[in-house]
Amino acid sequence: QVQLVESGGGLVQAGGSLRLSCAASGRTFSTYAMGWFRQAPGQEREFVAVISWSGGSIDYADSVKGRFTISRDNAKNTLYLQMNSLKPEDTAVYYCAAGTIATRKPLYQNWGQGTQVTVSS
């Protein structure tokens, strides 16, 4: 099991950018598929992006495609989410997840505590 800690959230103006990081403990980070999910008040947890253990397979939600970029650095045990052209509807708590299978569903074995992203007009 791996422990995940997110950072980089905060308050940003519409049209701005943020980069989220997810630091993973342990020495088997490279064997996990990694994903980002988000949850707004009163909403279900929503898929954002996922990357395979090798980085060779990437998938994005339609709502963020072209604006967000997921990447990983296995040597540093770190997952990233670069968020550009942010919109107020991107406001949510963002969660990092790790699991054995890359999926759009919230079926990952490990989850971070979440980090708040707020986009204002």
Side-chain angles (χ1 to χ4, degrees), residues 32-34 47 50-53 57 99-105 108:
Y32 288 90
M34 302 290 295
F47 167 76
V50 64
I51 185 169
S52 65
W53 67 270
S57 181
T100 56
I101 300 175
T103 176
R104 287 169 168 254
K105 297 181 177 180
Y108 293 78

Side-chain angles (χ1 to χ4, degrees), residues 6-117:
E6 299 101 334
S7 62
L11 176 65
V12 65
Q13 297 271 13
S17 298
L18 284 173
R19 189 177 78 158
L20 304 183
S21 298
C22 174
S25 64
R27 299 176 180 177
T28 59
F29 173 77
S30 63
T31 68
Y32 288 90
M34 302 290 295
W36 289 99
F37 291 77
R38 66 187 184 186
Q39 188 167 20
Q43 302 292 319
E44 294 184 342
R45 191 164 297 186
E46 176 189 20
F47 167 76
V48 176
V50 64
I51 185 169
S52 65
W53 67 270
S54 67
S57 181
I58 295 175
D59 192 23
Y60 296 98
D62 289 342
S63 60
V64 306
K65 192 172 297 183
R67 300 188 297 119
F68 291 10
T69 302
I70 188 172
S71 62
R72 66 190 297 164
D73 188 337
N74 289 347
K76 297 181 178 179
N77 290 345
T78 303
L79 176 75
Y80 303 98
L81 184 68
Q82 178 66 47
M83 304 185 294
N84 298 326
S85 301
L86 283 163
K87 306 174 181 179
E89 51 262 45
D90 294 319
T91 296
V93 177
Y94 283 70
Y95 297 91
C96 173
T100 56
I101 300 175
T103 176
R104 287 169 168 254
K105 297 181 177 180
L107 300 177
Y108 293 78
Q109 288 77 38
N110 301 276
W111 294 85
Q113 64 188 39
T115 184
Q116 177 70 46
V117 172

